[in-house]
Structure formats: C-alpha cells, structure tokens
Amino acid sequence: MAPSVRRGRSGNRAPADEAAAWILAGRAFVRDRLQPVEIAISEDGRILAIGKVLSGAPRHDVGEGVILPSATDLHVHFREPGGPADVETIATGTVQAALGGVALVGEMPNTDPPVADVDALAEKEARVRTRAAVDVLLYAAPSDPRALGRLAVRAGAFKLYLSPTTGIATPPDPAQLGPLLVRLASLGLPVAVHAEDPTRFARDSDPKDPTDWNRARPPSSERAAVERLLELAPPALRLHIAHVTEVASVVRLREAGVSFEATPQHLLLSQRSGTSPRTKVNPPLRSEADRRALWESFVRGEVPCLASDHAPHSTTSKDRPFPLAPSGMPGTETMLPLFLARVRTGELELPRLVAAACDRPARWFGQPHGRIAVGHRAHLLVVDFRVRTRLGARRLHAPCGWTAFEGSEAIFPREHYFHGERIVSDGEFVGRSNGTVVRPEFAPQPR
Ligand code: NCD
Ligand code: ZN
C-alpha cells in the first residue's frame, strides 16, 4: 500500500486515511494563479492534497513546465457510428482530444442513427467504453417525445438543433418549441441548442464563398433564435447556447444568466480568412469586425466556455464547389494549443483561458475537475510555454488530414495526466482506451 501523505506547512487537508500514489511538483495554476506547489494524487486518480511540501510518495517534478487543469470540450462530432471511419471515430477523436489537453468531450447526437432513443444511446456507450482515450459525455437528440423520459436517465445532456445542419434535416416545428423546452426543463439535464433561426436564412442564395455563406445564414438568424429561446425557456431549463458568433448574443445571454460557448473558428477566423469551402461552417464565419468584437469580449472574460465544435469532413467532400461542401471543421486537438499560444504572446490572460476551457465547461457538465483543487479528478497538463509549434495538418492526428488553422502558432501540452495516469508524454499519445461515459454528478452551474 502507498504511504499516506504528510502535509507541509501550508495547503489543503486530505482525509486522514487516504493514501497518495504519487506527487506532482511544480508551478501550478492553483486558486487563480501560478504558484509552486506539490499535488498528491490517489491511486484512483483524484487530487488528495495540495501543499508547499508533501512527502511520503514518489515525486515527479515538472521542472520548467507549468501544471494546468485539463480542458473539457463541450462540443465534438466523432461521427461514430455511421460516419466514414477514415474521417473520424471515437478512438481517433479521443486521441486528438488527449493530445490537445482535453480530458472530457461532449459527443453530439447527429450520428447515424442519431442518438434519439435508448438503443442508439446504449450502442454509443458501448463503443465509448471500449475505444475512448478520454472521458465522454453523450448528448441525446430530443426528437421523439416518447423517448425523452428514458433518455434523460441515461444521457449526459440534450442537444437541440433549430436549423438543418449535418445529419439533421428537420428541426422542431416552431409551434412545438415552447412545450418541448418545458418538457426538457422537467428532465433536469443540460440542454445545448444550435441557435440559428432558419426563417431568417436568405432564400435562393447561391453561396460561393464564406462571405456569401455569412449572408445566407446571417447574424440576425442567431439573434432571432436567441431571443426566441430566452422568451420560451422556463427558468428551470439548464440552457446552453452552442457556438455564439456575435457580441449581441454575449450581452443578451449574460443578462439572462444563460450558459454559452464560442469556438476557436469564430474567435480567430473570419470571412476574410480565405475563400475555401474548408472554412464553411454553421453558423458561418462572420465579418472581421464581428470576429474582433467577439475576441475582445472573450479576452474580457465575458464568454463562459470555449468549445471546438470539432466537425471533421473528408477533403474530397470539402474540396468541392462551395454550395456542395458540408459545413464543419476539425478542432479538438488544436483548441487549447491555439489559445495557449495567445497566452504566451500576452493577448490573453491565463486565468481567462483556464476559466473558459477548463473550469466552466466542467462545471456545466457537473464534473469535479477543471480546477486544481482537493477532491477533483487528477486531469492535469504540463505545458512548457517555451516550446512553440506552427500548426500543420501533417503533424496533427485528425484522419481527415486538414486544419483551417494551418500555419498558426500553437503550444501543445508536453504531458497529460488523465485520472492520474500519464496519457501524453513528450507530446506523444501513450494512453489506452480507458475513457468512460460520464453523466452530470452535480447540477450544471452556468456561472
Ligand atoms: C456540424 C457537423 O458537421 O456535424 N457542422 C458544423 O458546421 N458545425 C454540425 C453542427 O454543429 O451544426
Ligand atoms: Zn456541432
């Protein structure tokens, strides 16, 4: 048996009878700042104690590295089952997450068949249990009212699409939206909504580039969908708005106390970032002025969550005439590294990034991690801010083989500990298929 940890002069108290398996030592992001600490980790991968000096178990010192909590990515599409396996699977998607510093992903239900009943959910759970490299929370689609009750006791969250997108042809009848939201509120799970109002989409548009795409699905469709949701959602609904693209939405959702996310693509790319259908995404990339305003709002800490909306498509399907190309781009591997690079340049403060990428998404999923704190899971990263790379699809791990962030500066985690076990070492994946299916352990916290 491992010896129990003796605390140094300062630090949090561990339960007296708990034994530490090992100790991680170095400069760590604890209580909102970087400070030299030692972190005792239990056999089953929880943080037992944090102190200036701990002893009684083997010690790993991270040297010049910085210890951060792992990220949670609220929004990924791993295409399994039913998708082409050469584009993405649960195995390949979760390895990219691990390499990008993400310990928990929220996997979306627009797979084939969609996760709209308990059988489809059980099928996906079984795949996660044998193939996932990190933990997975499974969204269900609330498309069949008869299936909702059974889904709610087993799924991790619901995802509602108000407009057609990949794999979702028919959004709910607008007249039924109010009653549906009331029903979902009674079920207690978090409910993420893809908020674009299709009645505001341009008719007869012939989009040839991202600028046309932004005109075809304009910001006013997001505004209309957000207003409608705020009007219809009962106060008990645990509402979260996916991929917000506009500061107007940020302001409204903050006023209303509703959770939301922004993606790296809407924060870092705009319709000026090229004409390729690879940057075609729903909602569309916006104008450079809108992007800059969203970025500034993120820098001020007004956007609670960062999420990738990792939505890979093959190059053959993407490199077609713009109207024929599907929407979406990969991004779970590059999300945190792109933003760590912005911390290095001083464009973004580390506490803002940790809040948006680690702490608040985990709290929204009701999970005890995302902060380096006693009792939390030991999902931890070691980052060396001196080691920068330029993103290139060839060095990434997405089977689709491309990134919209080609050439951007990034800082990848050197090490990743998942439930206390090392799954990334020197930037290489060394883990196993140890991921589990998680559900909220406490009520989602939007703030
Ligand atoms: C997503 C996909 O391809 O699954 N595409 C996208 O443009 N974001 C679906 C979605 O989230 O709308
Ligand atoms: Zn999505």
CSV table of all heavy atoms in Angstrom, one decimal, residues 75-114:
chain,number,residue,atom,x,y,z
A,75,HIS,N,-18.2,20.2,-27.1
A,75,HIS,CA,-18.9,20.1,-28.4
A,75,HIS,C,-18.0,19.4,-29.4
A,75,HIS,O,-17.2,20.1,-30.1
A,75,HIS,CB,-19.3,21.5,-28.8
A,75,HIS,CG,-20.2,21.6,-30.0
A,75,HIS,ND1,-21.0,22.7,-30.2
A,75,HIS,CD2,-20.4,20.8,-31.0
A,75,HIS,CE1,-21.7,22.5,-31.3
A,75,HIS,NE2,-21.3,21.4,-31.9
A,76,VAL,N,-18.2,18.1,-29.6
A,76,VAL,CA,-17.4,17.4,-30.7
A,76,VAL,C,-18.3,16.5,-31.5
A,76,VAL,O,-19.4,16.0,-31.0
A,76,VAL,CB,-16.2,16.6,-30.1
A,76,VAL,CG1,-15.3,17.4,-29.3
A,76,VAL,CG2,-16.7,15.4,-29.3
A,77,HIS,N,-17.9,16.2,-32.7
A,77,HIS,CA,-18.7,15.2,-33.5
A,77,HIS,C,-17.7,14.2,-34.0
A,77,HIS,O,-16.8,14.4,-34.8
A,77,HIS,CB,-19.2,15.9,-34.8
A,77,HIS,CG,-20.1,17.1,-34.5
A,77,HIS,ND1,-21.5,16.9,-34.5
A,77,HIS,CD2,-19.9,18.4,-34.2
A,77,HIS,CE1,-22.1,18.1,-34.2
A,77,HIS,NE2,-21.1,19.0,-34.1
A,78,PHE,N,-17.7,13.0,-33.4
A,78,PHE,CA,-16.8,12.0,-33.7
A,78,PHE,C,-17.3,10.9,-34.7
A,78,PHE,O,-16.7,9.9,-35.0
A,78,PHE,CB,-16.2,11.3,-32.4
A,78,PHE,CG,-15.3,12.1,-31.6
A,78,PHE,CD1,-15.0,11.8,-30.3
A,78,PHE,CD2,-14.7,13.3,-32.2
A,78,PHE,CE1,-14.2,12.6,-29.5
A,78,PHE,CE2,-13.8,14.1,-31.4
A,78,PHE,CZ,-13.6,13.7,-30.1
A,79,ARG,N,-18.5,11.2,-35.2
A,79,ARG,CA,-19.0,10.5,-36.4
A,79,ARG,C,-19.3,9.0,-36.3
A,79,ARG,O,-19.5,8.4,-37.3
A,79,ARG,CB,-18.1,10.7,-37.6
A,79,ARG,CG,-17.7,12.2,-37.9
A,79,ARG,CD,-18.9,13.0,-38.3
A,79,ARG,NE,-18.5,14.3,-38.8
A,79,ARG,CZ,-19.2,15.4,-38.7
A,79,ARG,NH1,-20.4,15.3,-38.1
A,79,ARG,NH2,-18.9,16.5,-39.2
A,80,GLU,N,-19.2,8.5,-35.0
A,80,GLU,CA,-19.4,7.1,-34.9
A,80,GLU,C,-20.6,6.8,-34.0
A,80,GLU,O,-20.7,7.4,-32.9
A,80,GLU,CB,-18.1,6.5,-34.2
A,80,GLU,CG,-18.2,5.0,-34.0
A,80,GLU,CD,-17.0,4.4,-33.4
A,80,GLU,OE1,-15.9,5.0,-33.3
A,80,GLU,OE2,-17.1,3.2,-32.9
A,81,PRO,N,-21.5,6.0,-34.4
A,81,PRO,CA,-21.5,5.1,-35.6
A,81,PRO,C,-22.0,5.8,-36.8
A,81,PRO,O,-22.6,6.9,-36.7
A,81,PRO,CB,-22.4,4.0,-35.2
A,81,PRO,CG,-23.4,4.6,-34.3
A,81,PRO,CD,-22.7,5.7,-33.5
A,82,GLY,N,-21.8,5.2,-37.9
A,82,GLY,CA,-22.4,5.6,-39.2
A,82,GLY,C,-21.6,6.5,-40.1
A,82,GLY,O,-21.9,6.6,-41.3
A,83,GLY,N,-20.5,7.1,-39.5
A,83,GLY,CA,-19.7,8.0,-40.3
A,83,GLY,C,-18.6,7.2,-41.0
A,83,GLY,O,-18.3,6.1,-40.6
A,84,PRO,N,-18.0,7.8,-42.0
A,84,PRO,CA,-16.8,7.1,-42.7
A,84,PRO,C,-15.7,7.1,-41.7
A,84,PRO,O,-15.2,8.1,-41.1
A,84,PRO,CB,-16.5,8.0,-43.9
A,84,PRO,CG,-17.2,9.3,-43.7
A,84,PRO,CD,-18.3,9.1,-42.6
A,85,ALA,N,-15.2,5.8,-41.4
A,85,ALA,CA,-14.2,5.6,-40.4
A,85,ALA,C,-12.8,6.3,-40.8
A,85,ALA,O,-12.0,6.5,-39.9
A,85,ALA,CB,-14.0,4.1,-40.1
A,86,ASP,N,-12.7,6.6,-42.1
A,86,ASP,CA,-11.4,7.2,-42.5
A,86,ASP,C,-11.5,8.7,-42.2
A,86,ASP,O,-10.5,9.5,-42.4
A,86,ASP,CB,-11.0,6.9,-43.9
A,86,ASP,CG,-12.2,7.4,-44.9
A,86,ASP,OD1,-13.3,7.6,-44.4
A,86,ASP,OD2,-11.9,7.5,-46.1
A,87,VAL,N,-12.6,9.2,-41.7
A,87,VAL,CA,-12.8,10.6,-41.4
A,87,VAL,C,-12.6,10.8,-39.9
A,87,VAL,O,-11.9,11.7,-39.4
A,87,VAL,CB,-14.1,11.2,-41.9
A,87,VAL,CG1,-14.3,12.6,-41.3
A,87,VAL,CG2,-14.1,11.3,-43.4
A,88,GLU,N,-13.3,10.0,-39.1
A,88,GLU,CA,-13.2,10.1,-37.6
A,88,GLU,C,-13.9,8.9,-37.0
A,88,GLU,O,-14.8,8.3,-37.6
A,88,GLU,CB,-13.9,11.4,-37.1
A,88,GLU,CG,-13.4,11.8,-35.8
A,88,GLU,CD,-12.0,12.3,-35.8
A,88,GLU,OE1,-11.0,11.5,-35.8
A,88,GLU,OE2,-11.8,13.6,-35.9
A,89,THR,N,-13.4,8.5,-35.8
A,89,THR,CA,-14.0,7.5,-35.0
A,89,THR,C,-13.9,8.0,-33.5
A,89,THR,O,-13.2,9.0,-33.2
A,89,THR,CB,-13.4,6.1,-35.1
A,89,THR,OG1,-12.0,6.3,-34.6
A,89,THR,CG2,-13.4,5.6,-36.5
A,90,ILE,N,-14.6,7.3,-32.6
A,90,ILE,CA,-14.4,7.7,-31.2
A,90,ILE,C,-12.9,7.5,-30.8
A,90,ILE,O,-12.4,8.3,-30.1
A,90,ILE,CB,-15.4,6.8,-30.4
A,90,ILE,CG1,-16.8,7.2,-30.6
A,90,ILE,CG2,-15.0,6.9,-28.9
A,90,ILE,CD1,-17.9,6.3,-30.1
A,91,ALA,N,-12.3,6.5,-31.3
A,91,ALA,CA,-10.9,6.2,-31.0
A,91,ALA,C,-10.0,7.4,-31.5
A,91,ALA,O,-9.2,8.0,-30.7
A,91,ALA,CB,-10.4,4.9,-31.5
A,92,THR,N,-10.1,7.7,-32.7
A,92,THR,CA,-9.2,8.8,-33.3
A,92,THR,C,-9.6,10.1,-32.7
A,92,THR,O,-8.7,10.9,-32.4
A,92,THR,CB,-9.3,8.8,-34.8
A,92,THR,OG1,-10.7,9.1,-35.2
A,92,THR,CG2,-8.8,7.5,-35.5
A,93,GLY,N,-10.8,10.4,-32.5
A,93,GLY,CA,-11.3,11.7,-31.9
A,93,GLY,C,-10.8,11.9,-30.5
A,93,GLY,O,-10.3,13.0,-30.2
A,94,THR,N,-10.9,10.8,-29.7
A,94,THR,CA,-10.5,11.0,-28.3
A,94,THR,C,-8.9,11.1,-28.2
A,94,THR,O,-8.4,11.7,-27.2
A,94,THR,CB,-11.0,9.9,-27.4
A,94,THR,OG1,-10.8,8.6,-28.0
A,94,THR,CG2,-12.6,10.1,-27.2
A,95,VAL,N,-8.2,10.4,-29.1
A,95,VAL,CA,-6.7,10.6,-29.0
A,95,VAL,C,-6.3,12.0,-29.4
A,95,VAL,O,-5.5,12.6,-28.7
A,95,VAL,CB,-6.0,9.6,-30.0
A,95,VAL,CG1,-4.6,10.0,-30.2
A,95,VAL,CG2,-6.1,8.2,-29.4
A,96,GLN,N,-7.0,12.6,-30.4
A,96,GLN,CA,-6.8,14.1,-30.6
A,96,GLN,C,-7.1,14.9,-29.4
A,96,GLN,O,-6.4,15.9,-29.1
A,96,GLN,CB,-7.6,14.5,-31.8
A,96,GLN,CG,-7.2,14.0,-33.2
A,96,GLN,CD,-8.3,14.1,-34.2
A,96,GLN,OE1,-8.6,15.2,-34.6
A,96,GLN,NE2,-8.9,13.0,-34.5
A,97,ALA,N,-8.2,14.6,-28.8
A,97,ALA,CA,-8.6,15.4,-27.5
A,97,ALA,C,-7.4,15.3,-26.5
A,97,ALA,O,-7.0,16.3,-26.0
A,97,ALA,CB,-9.9,14.8,-27.0
A,98,ALA,N,-7.0,14.0,-26.3
A,98,ALA,CA,-5.9,13.8,-25.3
A,98,ALA,C,-4.7,14.6,-25.6
A,98,ALA,O,-4.1,15.3,-24.8
A,98,ALA,CB,-5.6,12.3,-25.2
A,99,LEU,N,-4.3,14.6,-26.9
A,99,LEU,CA,-3.1,15.4,-27.3
A,99,LEU,C,-3.3,16.9,-27.2
A,99,LEU,O,-2.3,17.6,-27.0
A,99,LEU,CB,-2.7,15.0,-28.8
A,99,LEU,CG,-2.1,13.5,-28.9
A,99,LEU,CD1,-2.2,13.1,-30.3
A,99,LEU,CD2,-0.7,13.5,-28.4
A,100,GLY,N,-4.5,17.3,-27.3
A,100,GLY,CA,-4.8,18.7,-27.2
A,100,GLY,C,-5.1,19.2,-25.8
A,100,GLY,O,-5.5,20.3,-25.6
A,101,GLY,N,-4.9,18.3,-24.8
A,101,GLY,CA,-5.1,18.7,-23.4
A,101,GLY,C,-6.6,18.6,-23.0
A,101,GLY,O,-6.9,19.1,-21.9
A,102,VAL,N,-7.4,17.8,-23.7
A,102,VAL,CA,-8.8,17.7,-23.3
A,102,VAL,C,-9.1,16.4,-22.7
A,102,VAL,O,-8.8,15.3,-23.3
A,102,VAL,CB,-9.7,17.9,-24.6
A,102,VAL,CG1,-11.2,17.5,-24.3
A,102,VAL,CG2,-9.6,19.3,-25.2
A,103,ALA,N,-9.6,16.3,-21.5
A,103,ALA,CA,-9.8,15.1,-20.8
A,103,ALA,C,-11.3,14.6,-20.8
A,103,ALA,O,-11.6,13.5,-20.5
A,103,ALA,CB,-9.4,15.2,-19.3
A,104,LEU,N,-12.2,15.5,-21.3
A,104,LEU,CA,-13.6,15.2,-21.3
A,104,LEU,C,-14.2,15.9,-22.6
A,104,LEU,O,-14.0,17.1,-22.7
A,104,LEU,CB,-14.3,15.6,-20.1
A,104,LEU,CG,-15.9,15.6,-20.1
A,104,LEU,CD1,-16.4,14.1,-20.3
A,104,LEU,CD2,-16.5,16.1,-18.8
A,105,VAL,N,-14.9,15.1,-23.4
A,105,VAL,CA,-15.6,15.7,-24.5
A,105,VAL,C,-17.1,15.5,-24.4
A,105,VAL,O,-17.5,14.4,-23.9
A,105,VAL,CB,-15.1,15.1,-25.9
A,105,VAL,CG1,-13.6,15.4,-26.1
A,105,VAL,CG2,-15.3,13.6,-26.0
A,106,GLY,N,-17.9,16.4,-25.0
A,106,GLY,CA,-19.3,16.2,-25.1
A,106,GLY,C,-19.6,15.8,-26.6
A,106,GLY,O,-19.4,16.6,-27.5
A,107,GLU,N,-20.0,14.5,-26.8
A,107,GLU,CA,-20.1,14.0,-28.1
A,107,GLU,C,-21.6,14.2,-28.6
A,107,GLU,O,-22.5,13.7,-27.9
A,107,GLU,CB,-19.7,12.5,-28.1
A,107,GLU,CG,-20.2,11.6,-29.2
A,107,GLU,CD,-19.8,12.0,-30.6
A,107,GLU,OE1,-18.9,12.7,-30.9
A,107,GLU,OE2,-20.5,11.4,-31.5
A,108,MET,N,-21.7,14.8,-29.8
A,108,MET,CA,-23.0,15.2,-30.3
A,108,MET,C,-23.8,14.0,-30.9
A,108,MET,O,-23.2,13.0,-31.3
A,108,MET,CB,-22.8,16.3,-31.3
A,108,MET,CG,-22.4,17.6,-30.7
A,108,MET,SD,-23.7,18.2,-29.6
A,108,MET,CE,-22.9,19.6,-28.8
A,109,PRO,N,-25.2,14.2,-30.9
A,109,PRO,CA,-26.0,13.1,-31.3
A,109,PRO,C,-26.3,12.9,-32.8
A,109,PRO,O,-27.0,12.0,-33.2
A,109,PRO,CB,-27.3,13.4,-30.5
A,109,PRO,CG,-27.4,14.9,-30.5
A,109,PRO,CD,-25.9,15.3,-30.4
A,110,ASN,N,-25.7,13.8,-33.6
A,110,ASN,CA,-26.1,13.8,-35.0
A,110,ASN,C,-25.2,12.7,-35.8
A,110,ASN,O,-24.6,13.0,-36.8
A,110,ASN,CB,-26.0,15.2,-35.7
A,110,ASN,CG,-24.6,15.7,-35.6
A,110,ASN,OD1,-23.8,15.4,-34.7
A,110,ASN,ND2,-24.2,16.6,-36.6
A,111,THR,N,-25.2,11.5,-35.2
A,111,THR,CA,-24.5,10.4,-35.8
A,111,THR,C,-25.6,9.6,-36.6
A,111,THR,O,-26.8,10.0,-36.6
A,111,THR,CB,-23.7,9.6,-34.8
A,111,THR,OG1,-24.4,9.6,-33.6
A,111,THR,CG2,-22.3,10.2,-34.6
A,112,ASP,N,-25.2,8.5,-37.1
A,112,ASP,CA,-26.2,7.7,-37.9
A,112,ASP,C,-26.2,6.2,-37.4
A,112,ASP,O,-25.3,5.5,-37.5
A,112,ASP,CB,-25.7,7.7,-39.4
A,112,ASP,CG,-26.7,7.0,-40.3
A,112,ASP,OD1,-27.8,6.7,-39.8
A,112,ASP,OD2,-26.3,6.8,-41.5
A,113,PRO,N,-27.3,5.8,-36.7
A,113,PRO,CA,-28.5,6.6,-36.5
A,113,PRO,C,-28.3,7.7,-35.4
A,113,PRO,O,-27.4,7.5,-34.6
A,113,PRO,CB,-29.5,5.5,-35.9
A,113,PRO,CG,-28.6,4.5,-35.2
A,113,PRO,CD,-27.3,4.5,-36.1
A,114,PRO,N,-29.1,8.7,-35.5
A,114,PRO,CA,-29.0,9.7,-34.4
A,114,PRO,C,-29.3,9.2,-33.0
A,114,PRO,O,-30.1,8.2,-32.9
A,114,PRO,CB,-30.0,10.8,-34.8
A,114,PRO,CG,-30.9,10.2,-35.9
A,114,PRO,CD,-30.2,9.0,-36.4
